[in-house]
Amino acid sequence: MNYKTKKLITIGIVCEMTGLSERQIRYYEERKLIFPERTKGGTRKYSFNDIESLMDIAEKMDDGMQTFEIKQLHNKNKASAREEMIKGQINARFGQNRAPLDQSDKRL
Amino acid sequence: MNYKTKKLITIGIVCEMTGLSERQIRYYEERKLIFPERTKGGTRKYSFNDIESLMDIAEKMDDGMQTFEIKQLHNKNKASAREEMIKGQINARFGQNRAPLDQSDKRL
DNA sequence: CGTGTAAGGAATTCTGACACG
DNA sequence: CGTGTAAGGAATTCTGACACG
């Protein structure tokens, strides 16, 4: 929603910032690791977050990881994040340190 | 120094975001209201701050202001900012609420 | 699997000029 | 003054394919 998520940057700039080749960047898209948008003409547009993702991907590739492993890892991280959020919500309602219930709930 | 100041965005995207034409954007550059950078090939690159400036410029143009007036106004604002900063520095040294001087200054 | 490259075309941007008002 | 536009060229990006390992 802020500047980092807006897809505005062309692939040439992304190459400069990440040190990756166009070929690499397009391939990572093909492997569903990044999701640029397109102009009406079909030119790819990336966000700052995409650039950060690509730098992270580049590092993992250097470490010998494969694209599908990187995708799995990313999906697991998303799953964990969801889980933590749910835990947080449960805790807010039923945990030890929950806020006192509203009076309207004590109607019995 | 942060995302908003990085010059990465091509003129087509800037047109979309500001509603201005390429002609207008280049003209405002000619009149020294904005200062895009260039790729090696010569393509202009703009920052988020440039886009915000352009939206401000567009509004002032709508109000009937001329480019040189907008530039003057901008320069005055810069001058005021400098003045305020200097005032602040003077106040920090000689004002009522200044911090006590360092011992090393009391050598007489 | 991940990446380089040559190929051909399409989208994007550039400059300098003419036009209007 | 501020902006539109047609013109021609140059830079940028795109896709699909072949190659190597």
Side-chain angles (χ1 to χ4, degrees), chain B residues 32-33 35 68-82:
Chain B
K32 312 284 186 191
L33 296 179
F35 306 92
F68 82 95
E69 295 173 303
I70 295 174
K71 186 162 62 170
Q72 281 180 344
L73 181 61
H74 184 239
N75 289 339
K76 274 186 191 162
N77 288 343
K78 274 200 303 188
S80 297
R82 258 201 306 276

Side-chain angles (χ1 to χ4, degrees), chain B residues 46-97:
Chain B
Y46 302 85
S47 68
F48 282 110
N49 277 343
D50 290 331
I51 291 173
E52 289 184 3
S53 292
L54 281 167
M55 296 194 303
D56 188 57
I57 291 166
E59 197 182 346
K60 290 188 168 57
M61 293 296 288
D62 270 352
D63 293 348
M65 213 177 290
Q66 288 185 300
T67 56
F68 82 95
E69 295 173 303
I70 295 174
K71 186 162 62 170
Q72 281 180 344
L73 181 61
H74 184 239
N75 289 339
K76 274 186 191 162
N77 288 343
K78 274 200 303 188
S80 297
R82 258 201 306 276
E83 209 176 298
E84 285 308 312
M85 205 181 63
I86 290 170
K87 273 188 195 163
Q89 288 172 348
I90 290 172
N91 214 46
R93 280 196 186 283
F94 306 114
Q96 294 278 44
N97 302 317

